[in-house]
């Protein structure tokens, strides 16, 4: 009996597919989950993160408002300054920093700090 088959057979090792990992947090000040007390002064928060695909930072409040005053200092560092605002009730909200890499689709990590306005 003769069997004919068409196609290509490959018997070599299968290529390794590398999983896209989320950025690694190198440093942050203050540490996430530390309440930010906004009483008569502003507070600065910074994050340093690293990823082989590069990192991007997006700062927002828990109500979804993006913070336009955030600055990316270099390829791995970003900071924001948040201040009490008499026109916005910040008490009970949180500051959020979403750090994502440049891969498609991106992997991300989210850090949060509760806001307190005494």
């Amino acid at each position: 009996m003769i069997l004919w088959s068409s196609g290509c057979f490959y018997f070599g090792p299968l290529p390794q597919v590398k999983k896209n990992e989320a950025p690694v947090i190198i440093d942050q000040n203050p540490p996430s989950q530390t309440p930010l007390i906004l009483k008569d002064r502003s507070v600065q928060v910074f994050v340093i993160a690293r990823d082989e695909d590069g990192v991007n930072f997006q700062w927002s409040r828990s109500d979804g408002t993006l913070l336009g005053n955030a600055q990316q200092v270099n390829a791995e560092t970003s900071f924001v300054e948040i201040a009490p605002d008499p026109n916005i009730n910040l008490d009970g909200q949180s500051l959020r920093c979403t750090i994502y890499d440049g891969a498609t689709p991106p992997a991300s990590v989210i850090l949060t700090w509760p806001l307190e306005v005494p």
Side-chain angles (χ1 to χ4, degrees), residues 11-68:
F11 296 105
L14 294 175
Q16 294 291 326
V17 176
K18 186 174 180 187
K19 181 181 174 192
N20 183 27
E21 300 289 334
V24 175
I25 305 303
I26 304 301
D27 196 9
Q28 54 185 301
N29 191 22
S32 62
Q33 299 305 315
T34 301
L36 303 178
I37 315 265
L38 303 174
K39 181 180 179 182
D40 303 331
R41 66 179 182 95
S42 61
V43 175
Q44 284 190 350
V45 178
F46 80 86
V47 175
I48 301 172
R50 192 171 291 146
D51 190 276
E52 65 184 31
D53 298 315
V55 292
N56 299 292
F57 299 87
Q58 183 179 59
W59 294 88
S60 62
R61 292 193 312 253
S62 55
D63 66 1
T65 302
L66 295 178
L67 302 180

